[in-house]
Amino acid sequence: MYNKRLMQNPFQNAMLQLDKVAKTKNFGEEFFARLRQPDRDIRISIPVKMDDGSVKIFEGYRVEYNNALGPYKGGIRYHQDTEINEVKALAFWMTIKCAVAGIPMGGGKGGITVNPKELSKGELERLSRGWIQKLSDILGPKKDVPAPDVNTTPEIMAWMADEYAKITGDKTGAVITGKPLGKGGSEGRGTATAQGGFFIFEAFKKELNLSEKCKVVIQGFGNVGSCAAFIWSKAGYKIVGVSDSRSGIYSSAGLDIEKLMEYKKSTGSLSGFSEGKEITNAELLEIECDLLIPAAFENQITGKNADRIKAKAILELANGPVTPEADEILFRKGIPIVPDVLANSGGVIVSFFEWEQNLKNEHWSEKEVFERLQLMLEDSAKKILEKAKESNTDLRRGAFILALEKIKDKML
Ligand code: NAD
């Protein structure tokens, strides 16, 4: 049974994507059979002493999908709907993403079924430390390196790194990325996913036939979505719509993103912002615009609404926002999609930079971080375009083919 947000099993969707690649390029059945299963998926129970003295048990996960290219790498998601199939799908996509990015890392992902907004800070810290206590044996800078994802912050990463250091004595911090700056974090990590998405957008703009004046709509106003809104608007693009879990806001004249960020910070919501019209999330996705950026969750553009999408192109900053069924519909409509495994890979690339800096005891400037990031992303974008053209297919399959060639090379 899937709840309203997940609706479809994300792991099945990920495997459908793999099936499509199998039809485009023959990598051999044995290889695909191995890729259909994670190396291991682990479920844990985490007892947490609550502030009222009671003990509550939370369910947690770590999926180590594939480490052919290096240590497992992938974020930890805290959400009330998080469950094993979601984590498996995200871990599979991390495997593809790290390979596309050209970093020596494999794919993993973790999570806890919890609504962190219902916990006090102390409870959240005990829960986060509990996740590490249960998994410290399998984690490590050369084994499995987690990072933040939805609802997990630099502060949570710092608690986790500290707990790992207490248990193992390893104080390099390289066991986990996305830490605060003063605690071994990298310059640029906080905005890396959105910034990377922007570099990718710039690299593909001509290919996608998008102009300097293009109108942008962004779904999700969390870490990735709000940073993206800020970066695109600073670069002079008109952001005509944004949304969060509760509501959306639209202005054909373009939204003042800095004002909107301030507004959300002070009220906790986008609702009631006076310089735009309030719309639903469903309406937001169907706005006529040049670029639609889903930056919230999986399964947002599906067989049910894909026909009504009016954007000229889609750049996936969320993981898995377009289902395989919607992919087909959008392909027929001629709406190109820059896939998540490329578009949002800026986050994991800067995570890899953080890991490298921790291990070498170095600290790179933000300028250096973003210069390196841009070069790597432009290189991946070029290679994916070549692969897609070679096989006469879309960018998602092009990205998968590039990744699978690298993984197969190392795996067999
Ligand atoms: P976040 O928790 O900071 O933000 C999520 C945002 O989505 C919030 O604004 C929330 O209100 C909104 N949201 C939730 N349900 C929604 C709905 N139905 N419609 C519209 N908005 C909704 O999380 P994040 O770190 O910004 O991650 C967003 C996406 O980007 C996820 O798919 C994540 O896996 C992906 N991603 C994140 C990173 C990273 O570095 N944080 C890296 C790569 C990919």
Side-chain angles (χ1 to χ4, degrees):
M1 275 298 285
Y2 287 90
N3 56 47
K4 211 162 149 242
R5 176 170 70 78
L6 295 176
M7 283 188 298
Q8 305 181 27
N9 178 337
F11 188 61
Q12 272 172 11
N13 284 346
M15 293 303 103
L16 283 173
Q17 292 173 340
L18 196 60
D19 289 343
K20 280 195 195 174
V21 181
K23 285 185 196 140
T24 311
K25 181 161 177 164
N26 184 8
F27 284 89
E29 233 343 279
E30 237 175 65
F31 177 60
F32 279 113
R34 280 183 74 179
L35 280 181
R36 279 180 211 291
Q37 303 264 5
D39 287 346
R40 56 177 160 178
D41 58 60
I42 298 163
R43 298 178 205 205
I44 54 173
S45 67
I46 313 168
V48 175
K49 183 116 186 225
M50 306 303 278
D51 291 347
D52 65 5
S54 66
V55 172
K56 203 168 162 187
I57 311 293
F58 292 88
E59 191 172 8
Y61 318 90
R62 185 69 184 167
V63 174
E64 297 187 328
Y65 207 95
N66 183 289
N67 66 353
L69 297 179
Y72 302 102
K73 182 94 195 78
I76 307 163
R77 178 172 292 192
Y78 286 3
H79 197 279
Q80 59 274 23
D81 300 336
T82 287
E83 48 79 57
I84 192 70
N85 284 297
E86 181 182 44
V87 184
K88 267 165 70 177
L90 291 163
F92 169 77
W93 287 322
M94 283 305 294
T95 305
I96 302 293
K97 197 182 300 181
C98 290
V100 163
I103 59 175
M105 296 276 180
K109 202 83 185 189
I112 301 179
T113 309
V114 59
N115 179 355
K117 289 175 191 126
E118 289 173 357
L119 301 190
S120 70
K121 193 169 169 186
E123 289 165 345
L124 193 61
E125 178 172 354
R126 292 192 287 282
L127 175 67
S128 304
R129 288 183 183 274
W131 190 88
I132 291 287
Q133 285 156 14
K134 283 282 166 92
L135 293 168
S136 63
D137 281 354
I138 63 154
L139 303 176
K142 301 285 171 73
K143 293 197 287 187
D144 184 343
V145 186
D149 189 68
V150 172
N151 285 329
T152 45
T153 59
E155 186 176 39
I156 293 175
M157 299 303 109
W159 293 330
M160 288 182 158
D162 180 63
E163 191 63 26
Y164 184 80
K166 276 187 188 151
I167 296 169
T168 64
D170 177 347
K171 293 188 176 158
T172 58
V175 66
I176 204 157
T177 57
K179 301 178 293 294
L181 264 183
K183 294 195 157 51
S186 175
E187 302 286 347
R189 176 60 185 89
T191 55
T193 304
Q195 184 62 56
F198 186 73
F199 290 147
I200 289 292
F201 162 74
E202 290 278 303
F204 275 111
K205 206 163 62 186
K206 235 167 116 195
E207 190 67 30
L208 300 175
N209 271 327
L210 295 179
S211 77
E212 293 301 327
K213 295 271 165 271
C214 75
K215 283 192 263 173
V216 183
V217 166
I218 301 176
Q219 184 199 37
F221 208 63
N223 173 5
V224 178
S226 67
C227 287
F230 184 78
I231 291 166
W232 259 265
S233 73
K234 275 271 164 221
Y237 295 96
K238 207 184 261 188
I239 315 293
V240 294
V242 301
S243 67
D244 65 10
S245 57
R246 279 177 276 178
S247 59
I249 195 104
Y250 171 76
S251 163
S252 60
L255 295 159
D256 182 332
I257 296 301
E258 279 182 73
K259 243 191 198 172
L260 190 57
M261 285 169 99
E262 270 308 310
Y263 182 82
K264 165 123 195 189
K265 207 168 151 196
S266 61
T267 65
S269 158
L270 299 172
S271 182
F273 185 63
S274 60
E275 294 174 23
K277 181 180 153 218
E278 200 155 329
I279 54 171
T280 65
N281 245 304
E283 287 168 336
L284 177 108
L285 293 172
E286 297 167 19
I287 291 174
E288 202 163 323
C289 65
D290 298 295
L291 182 69
L292 173 62
I293 305 182
F297 277 111
E298 304 91 80
N299 296 341
Q300 298 302 306
I301 303 174
T302 67
K304 292 202 177 109
N305 62 357
D307 238 350
R308 297 193 297 275
I309 300 295
K310 295 174 205 76
K312 294 206 181 93
I314 295 175
L315 182 94
E316 296 180 330
L317 289 190
N319 284 307
V322 178
T323 66
E325 197 186 352
D327 242 353
E328 299 282 341
I329 298 169
L330 295 167
F331 187 70
R332 281 201 301 273
K333 279 171 67 106
I335 301 177
I337 301 171
V338 184
D340 46 8
V341 290
L342 171 68
N344 70 27
S345 63
V348 74
I349 294 176
V350 176
S351 268
F352 160 65
F353 293 164
E354 180 176 333
W355 175 84
E356 196 178 336
Q357 290 170 79
N358 292 155
L359 288 177
K360 292 180 175 163
N361 197 22
E362 290 178 358
H363 190 81
W364 307 347
S365 69
E366 185 177 273
K367 185 167 175 282
E368 188 176 355
V369 166
F370 285 153
E371 277 171 6
R372 287 184 192 224
L373 176 66
Q374 186 167 11
L375 281 178
M376 287 175 72
L377 287 172
E378 284 172 356
D379 185 52
S380 301
K382 197 167 133 247
K383 286 183 178 145
I384 285 173
L385 202 54
E386 276 165 19
K387 290 285 168 203
K389 285 191 172 155
E390 243 171 63
S391 301
N392 196 20
T393 188
D394 58 14
L395 293 172
R396 192 181 317 278
R397 263 176 278 195
F400 271 59
I401 291 170
L402 175 71
L404 296 184
E405 283 173 355
K406 290 187 192 176
I407 296 166
K408 190 172 181 197
D409 238 24
K410 282 277 176 125
M411 213 157 90
L412 300 177

